């Protein structure tokens, strides 16, 4: 879990955050002008597309959950991807909006198994990867010829994210 | 019986009275106190149970552990060097029977 969580989910949130920002030029301009907004971008990206969309649970005793009677030993799929877009909690939940009212989301789970890597992910993606990417790749934009693809349900992220950028800058990268 | 008073920034107060030897966070969440979230269920891993303890009650509290200390650097509202605590790390029925805290404006 530590190895999988250490690699896949941060990668997925990074891809989704880049895709979302490139699709929302005003929000992109906002974060480029004020890198202190990268943490907000990160939280909104994990809310909007939870990198772990569903995790399994089993009831250890019979219980009633939100009016539903559950027997002991029932297998449950906790769909945090849906919870994070609950219209009773988030206004206009389907939109990516870093300026939305700050609310707790469930992308890192909750309770005893709350993600052990939450702060590692925040530091590495919001503190390092996102700001570095937009600094090192000036003019980063979606490739108009090839559409980006997001996919997955249990694990969700970008499976294809073709981009281009301006190479005539001082900081060229060879990829 | 422990009496907990949660002071909100709009001036309202939630009072919780309980016999349970639970934590401040758990007492707040079970009783629907606004502004205390407790995302990690009390493991000192999320800092969404941050409270500012009123100075007159600081004396009766247990000390701040290493995990709590580190997590207090991650609170959404600024840490107060003296008054900030994690609600989940303070158990009831341990040295005080009344406590008043200010609830931060934001936890996330
Ligand atoms: C944006 C990035 C990440 C997301 C969205 C995420 C999400 C989650 C979720 C939803 C759970 C709870 C699963 C359950 O309750 O069954 C979890 C658990 C866990 N995560 Fe993450 N994770 C991320 C990054 C990381 C990183 C970087 C690490 C390690 C360096 C990590 C390590 C773990 C571990 C060890 C657990 C199990 C905790 C336990 O069962 O007590 N995660 N994660
Ligand atoms: S409930 Fe998460 S740190 Fe207290």
């Amino acid at each position: 879990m530590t190895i999988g969580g250490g690699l896949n989910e941060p990668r997925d949130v990074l891809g989704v955050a880049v895709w979302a920002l490139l699709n929302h030029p005003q929000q992109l301009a906002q974060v480029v002008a004020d890198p202190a907004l990268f943490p907000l971008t990160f939280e909104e990206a994990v809310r909007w597309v939870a990198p772990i969309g569903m995790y399994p649970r089993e009831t250890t005793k019979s219980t009633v959950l939100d009016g539903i009677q559950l027997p002991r030993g029932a297998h449950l799929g906790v769909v945090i991807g849906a919870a994070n877009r609950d219209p009773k909690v988030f206004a206009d939940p389907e939109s990516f909006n870093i300026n939305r009212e700050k609310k707790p989301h469930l992308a890192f789970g909750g309770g005893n198994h709350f993600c052990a890597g939450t702060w590692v992910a925040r530091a590495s993606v919001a503190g390092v990867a996102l700001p570095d990417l937009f600094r090192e790749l000036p003019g980063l934009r979606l490739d108009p010829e090839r559409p980006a693809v997001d996919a997955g349900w249990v694990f969700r992220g970008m499976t294809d994210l073709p981009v281009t950028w301006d190479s005539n800058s001082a900081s060229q990268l060879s990829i | 019986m422990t009496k907990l008073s949660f002071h909100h920034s709009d001036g309202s107060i939630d009072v919780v009275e309980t016999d349970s030897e639970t934590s401040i966070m758990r007492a707040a969440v079970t009783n629907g106190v606004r502004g205390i979230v407790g995302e990690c269920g009390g493991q000192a891993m999320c800092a969404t149970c941050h409270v500012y303890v009123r100075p007159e009650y600081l004396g009766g509290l247990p000390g701040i552990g290493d995990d709590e200390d580190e997590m207090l650097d991650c609170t959404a509202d600024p840490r107060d060097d003296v008054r900030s605590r994690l609600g989940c790390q303070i158990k009831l029925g341990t040295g005080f029977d009344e406590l008043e805290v200010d609830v931060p404006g934001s936890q996330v």
Side-chain angles (χ1 to χ4, degrees), chain A residues 102-105 109-119 122, chain B residues 26 37-41 43 45-47 71 74-76 106 108:
Chain A
K102 279 170 89 184
K103 292 255 180 91
H105 58 71
N112 283 349
H113 295 280
F114 182 75
C115 176
T118 305
W119 295 91
R122 285 183 173 140
Chain B
R26 193 59 75 192
V37 182
E39 272 177 358
C40 74
Q43 305 178 79
M45 277 175 59
C46 70
M71 201 42 63
C74 301
T75 52
S106 68
V108 292

Side-chain angles (χ1 to χ4, degrees), chain A residues 1-2 5-6 9-10 13 42 46 51-52 55-57 80 106-109 112-118 120-121:
Chain A
M1 192 124 195
T2 309
E9 288 78 37
V13 62
F42 173 89
V46 284
I52 299 182
Y55 57 75
R57 280 291 183 275
I80 48 183
L106 289 173
F108 294 108
N112 283 349
H113 295 280
F114 182 75
C115 176
T118 305
V120 180

